[in-house]
């Protein structure tokens, strides 16, 4: 789980408990895939070292890597402990070409009546940045996100890159098995069963739910996920081949 240390600054077991936030419903739909994509980011690119961004070009650079297309979502201030959407950041005069995703999130908020997507600025914590990022990746169909610490604050960017896209669209069954328990440990999810169902559907699994047991099958493997009466995940088990496959 080394990538979690780089991503969250902690392991799943160390992640603090925190109360439900207005982001919770969006996390149910998008947390799993966002975490899956972040895992691919750490596998494909050396995203744990130094970074540089050219906002005029709309590109992010890591050591030894070619430019990655980015969109500026917003920024967190250490001093005020607050979040500011990129579309509301008039002082930075951000180029319009990097504001598309931020504007899309604002429009999504207008369409669905989600207040926190419409507020120019609000109090936030660094942990909540990952929640905002997961929602942004899901709504905007980005390939990953990056939190760039620039000293006075943190810039949240969504990323698009063919290498990342290929990695998460072809990721193996084994990655799914690691993402599910990490997802329920790292994010506050009001309904684990719903969140796991959303994630597995997005990963192309055929899903069947009977009582508190979810069965998911794909050509490269299948799994059973077990939940308690409050729809909280209790266990995940897997076999390498789908249960309905026939021996040659």
């Amino acid at each position: 789980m080394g990538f979690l240390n780089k991503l969250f600054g902690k392991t799943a077991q160390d992640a603090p408990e925190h109360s439900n936030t207005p982001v919770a419903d969006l996390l149910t739909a998008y947390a799993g895939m966002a975490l899956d994509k972040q895992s691919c980011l750490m596998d494909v690119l050396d995203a744990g070292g130094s970074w540089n961004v050219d906002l005029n070009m709309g590109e992010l650079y890591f050591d030894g890597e070619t430019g990655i297309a980015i969109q500026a979502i917003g920024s967190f201030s250490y001093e005020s402990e607050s979040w500011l959407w990129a579309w509301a950041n008039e002082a930075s005069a951000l180029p319009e070409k990097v504001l598309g995703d931020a504007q899309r999130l604002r429009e999504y908020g207008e369409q669905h009546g989600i207040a926190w997507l419409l507020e120019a600025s609000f109090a936030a914590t660094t942990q909540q940045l990952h929640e905002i990022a997961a929602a942004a990746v899901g709504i905007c169909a980005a390939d990953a996100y990056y939190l760039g610490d620039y000293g006075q604050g943190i810039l949240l960017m969504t990323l698009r890159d063919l290498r990342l896209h290929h990695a998460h669209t072809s990721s193996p069954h084994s990655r799914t098995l690691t993402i599910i328990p990490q997802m329920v440990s790292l994010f506050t999810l009001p309904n684990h069963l719903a969140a796991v169902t959303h994630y597995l559907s997005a990963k192309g699994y055929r899903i069947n739910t009977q009582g508190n047991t979810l069965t998911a099958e794909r050509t490269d493997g299948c799994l059973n996920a077990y939940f308690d009466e409050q729809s909280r995940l209790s266990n995940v088990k897997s076999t390498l081949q789908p249960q309905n496959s026939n021996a040659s």
Side-chain angles (χ1 to χ4, degrees):
M1 297 204 306
F3 90 93
L4 292 175
N5 293 325
K6 297 178 181 179
L7 177 59
F8 285 83
K10 55 180 75 67
T11 64
Q13 289 81 4
D14 294 331
E17 293 185 2
H18 52 284
S19 61
N20 286 348
T21 70
V23 192
D25 289 342
L26 292 178
L27 289 179
T28 297
Y30 300 125
M33 277 303 296
L35 191 57
D36 190 295
K37 291 176 178 181
Q38 291 308 102
S39 177
C40 293
L41 170 65
M42 301 309 297
D43 285 349
V44 174
L45 301 175
D46 183 14
S50 62
W51 64 282
N52 184 43
V53 64
D54 186 332
L55 291 172
N56 290 319
M57 291 293 295
E59 291 187 341
L60 172 68
Y61 304 91
F62 299 113
D63 287 340
E65 299 287 354
T66 56
I68 302 165
I70 65 101
Q71 289 281 289
I73 302 301
S75 56
F76 171 81
S77 168
Y78 286 119
E79 181 178 4
S80 63
E81 295 186 331
S82 64
W83 169 261
L84 176 66
W85 290 107
W87 52 260
N89 192 345
E90 297 179 357
S92 295
L94 297 171
E96 285 294 327
K97 68 179 297 181
V98 300
L99 295 178
D101 280 1
Q103 295 288 9
R104 187 180 306 179
L105 289 167
R106 188 182 189 184
E107 293 169 0
Y108 188 94
E110 292 172 345
Q111 294 167 1
H112 296 85
I114 303 175
W116 67 272
L117 289 174
L118 303 176
E119 298 173 5
S121 181
F122 51 85
T125 66
T126 53
Q127 177 65 20
Q128 288 170 337
L129 297 183
H130 294 285
E131 299 176 345
I132 296 169
V137 167
I139 293 171
C140 299
D143 292 322
Y145 67 87
Y146 187 73
L147 294 170
D149 191 322
Y150 54 89
Q152 293 76 35
I154 300 173
L155 174 64
L156 168 58
M157 296 165 276
T158 47
L159 314 181
R160 288 178 175 81
D161 186 275
L162 288 177
R163 293 166 293 178
L164 298 177
H165 181 76
H166 175 73
H168 71 73
T169 54
S170 60
S171 64
H173 177 65
S174 58
R175 187 189 299 276
T176 305
L177 298 175
T178 65
I179 293 298
I180 291 174
Q182 290 167 3
M183 171 180 64
V184 302
S185 296
L186 291 168
F187 292 104
T188 297
L189 300 167
N191 186 314
H192 290 183
L193 174 57
V196 171
T197 300
H198 276 286
Y199 171 54
L200 293 173
S201 295
K203 294 296 292 183
Y205 286 84
R206 299 181 300 277
I207 298 171
N208 180 48
T209 303
Q210 294 185 349
N212 295 328
T213 301
L214 178 152
T215 299
E217 296 186 353
R218 205 171 64 176
T219 56
D220 59 337
C222 71
L223 63 84
N224 290 332
Y226 304 93
F227 302 84
D228 63 19
E229 295 301 322
Q230 285 74 47
S231 295
R232 295 173 301 195
L233 181 70
S234 59
N235 198 9
V236 180
K237 295 183 179 180
S238 173
T239 58
L240 292 178
Q241 295 298 326
Q243 293 174 344
N244 61 357
S245 62
N246 296 319
S248 301

